[in-house]
Amino acid sequence: MATAWTLPDHPKLPKGKTVAVVVLDGWGEANPDEYNCIHVAQTPVMDSLKNGAPEKWRLVKAHGTAVGLPSDDDMGNSEVGHNALGAGRIFAQGAKLVDSALASGKIYDGEGFNYIKESFENGTLHLIGLLSDGGVHSRLDQVQLLLKGASERGAKRIRVHILTDGRDVLDGSSIGFVETLENDLSQLREKGIDAQIASGGGRMYVTMDRYENDWGVVKRGWDAQVLGEAPHKFKSAVEAVKTLRAVPDTNDQYLPPFVIVDESGNAVGPIVDGDAVVTFNFRADRMVMLAKALEYADFDKFDRVRVPKIRYAGMLQYDGELLLPKRYLVSPPEIERTSGEYLVKNGVRTFACRQVTHSFYMFIIFVLIHEHRSETVKFGHVTFFWNGNRSGYFDESKEEYVEVPSDSGITFNVKPKMKAVEIAEKARDAILSGKFDQVRVNLPNGDMVGHTGDIEATVVACKAADEAVKIILDAVEQVGGIYLVTADHGNAEDMVKRNKAGKPLLDKSGAIQILTSHTLQPVPVAIGGPGLHPGVKFRSDIETPGLANVAATVMNLHGFEAPADYEPTLIEVADN
Ligand SMILES: O=C(O)[C@@H](CO)OP(=O)(O)O
Ligand SMILES: [Mn+2]
Ligand SMILES: [Mn+2]
């Protein structure tokens, strides 16, 4: 059935207000203590939203099943968070879809697996991805099952190219993950399969860049994985990780690239003609660039030197618009009819409404233009993820996506303010220009600096994000607009690993164990602004709302009712 794109008018809320949607990345709500950087930081603007209007501030769930993850032990992340915010419904996410495909064995019946299988007889199967149990981009237990399944189905020679984590899991945990993998591979070897780790590097320095921020990162990975060349050569991956971690100021996230070499010093697993490659991350953003390098014939981002003729499949298809990669083992969630698409379609005057009698109505709907801003490290979050893992515009004449370049080649604790002011000023200008109905931004500070584990810097980051919110809210005030401020998941509000009772855990040397990852905490949603109808308040009948309830809320603020299958709106309008 054709989608009915026309949204009903909201019975009480007007159209034509400028709505600022602000997503604070990694900004959860947690008990106030010294490891809660949001609490420690001066955040007068966010504090006033919380304390100033209790009926216009509330918490929503941003992790686990509320955002389509396998269980409530799964922390939230940007992909699932922004997907839910934009799509207004909860879709079973990559992590969960891969789990079921592996459990049922369906993964091995699919086109993707059968395609790579053609290489098993004469070629090598290469698995490339993030080695941890973080569950944000990938999961070790899925890799273990895939290794088993592929070897039982004929893979004779297997090479794993690992990326160490330390961002979704504790720093230093990489050694344990490598040991577990080595153990599995040695069991395969006992069965006569030639299986080894071939190369590695830290996720933030090797391969897993995103949004084309720094192609040098992908090149470092390419050189090690495909060409078998790296500045560091080791006989084993455990030795590699232990040795490289011993260098002062290195950590799992930033390990330099290395290759594993044999007795004669030759790399054990370069990728060559006839091989199969699987990138086993289910999450898209940090695999898209490598997918392009592996798949595109026309490619000018760096000199690939040698482009092997391979059979390549992603764990999932990473970009639904570019259809990248062409082959994949598991179908991605089909996130369609996102709020962005609806809103754009309801602003396009010539939209082909099937019911001809409604054509007049279609003509008087205002022109809706969105503006989305963030710096490069988070740019795609409010476009790509928001739009259901789809790159590009729905309607270029009605949307403008602008990116503020991030600093590259630094860890963000060095510049914790990042480009928050620049992002906020661009948003401010867009709001004041009167050309846009929705101005959507992501402020990355709490998250990006939170991931460095540097508590002092994260406090500075939170203050900077709060100042940026002020710039945006001041502009909303000037134009008589509306704001909705929220977050995609927690991070900066808890920087320490805790026991069940909530007490900080200490390591062997008595130091606190720093938490670089996201959290399970809920996030705030605050609404307000002079344009907000005075009767609007949060409903009290939705007991455990999540991020997916935000989309219908935003549609209401634009004067529309949300589609019936969207998660319910958070707001109601009292008559007064
Ligand atoms: O940096 C990333 O890739 C993830 C953590 O793995 O963070 P976020 O989900 O906030 O983008
Ligand atoms: Mn995030
Ligand atoms: Mn993050």
Side-chain angles (χ1 to χ4, degrees), residues 25-26 78 378 381 447 488-489:
D25 215 290
S78 291
K378 293 289 181 183
H381 288 24
D447 184 65
D488 59 342
H489 52 78

Side-chain angles (χ1 to χ4, degrees), residues 192-304:
I193 292 158
D194 171 8
Q196 282 192 66
I197 295 177
S199 76
R203 58 176 284 174
M204 297 302 285
Y205 193 62
V206 177
T207 299
M208 282 174 62
D209 187 46
R210 64 179 164 203
Y211 307 136
E212 312 213 350
N213 189 45
D214 182 359
W215 277 100
V217 175
V218 185
K219 177 177 166 19
R220 273 179 217 121
W222 181 272
D223 291 350
Q225 296 143 2
V226 179
L227 307 179
E229 288 164 12
H232 301 276
K233 297 181 172 59
F234 293 95
K235 291 276 155 49
S236 89
V238 173
E239 183 199 343
V241 173
K242 284 191 175 158
T243 313
L244 294 172
R245 272 191 58 84
V247 177
D249 293 330
T250 37
N251 56 33
D252 288 350
Q253 296 190 56
Y254 284 90
L255 285 193
F258 61 86
V259 290
I260 305 303
V261 292
D262 61 18
E263 296 304 319
S264 24
N266 296 324
V268 299
I271 301 175
V272 299
D273 286 356
D275 286 353
V277 176
V278 171
T279 47
F280 60 76
N281 287 15
F282 42 74
R283 174 159 151 178
D285 58 345
R286 294 190 184 274
M287 273 297 134
V288 163
M289 293 166 74
L290 174 58
K292 287 181 177 168
L294 287 168
E295 187 146 301
Y296 285 172
D298 285 335
F299 180 87
D300 58 5
K301 303 303 181 185
F302 59 84
D303 181 2
R304 290 181 290 184

Side-chain angles (χ1 to χ4, degrees), residues 3-10 15-16 337-355 358-370 394-395 397-399 437-438 551 554-556 558-563 566:
T3 302
W5 287 107
T6 306
L7 294 171
D9 294 339
H10 192 280
K15 297 191 171 50
R337 296 187 299 108
T338 58
S339 59
E341 185 161 16
Y342 269 110
L343 287 171
V344 167
K345 292 222 158 95
N346 279 271
V348 178
R349 290 184 295 169
T350 51
F351 176 67
C353 181
R354 289 175 172 267
Q355 294 162 359
H358 280 186
S359 58
F360 172 71
Y361 174 74
M362 293 307 296
F363 266 85
I364 58 170
I365 292 176
F366 63 91
V367 178
L368 180 85
I369 306 183
H370 292 243
F394 293 113
D395 178 346
S397 71
K398 300 290 176 282
E399 297 166 272
D437 294 291
Q438 184 180 105
V554 171
M555 285 171 153
N556 291 170
H558 281 291
F560 294 105
E561 291 263 45
Y566 269 44

Side-chain angles (χ1 to χ4, degrees), residues 120-136:
F120 289 0
E121 192 55 37
N122 301 311
T124 301
L125 169 63
H126 299 263
L127 303 180
I128 308 177
L130 182 64
L131 190 75
S132 81
D133 63 3
V136 173

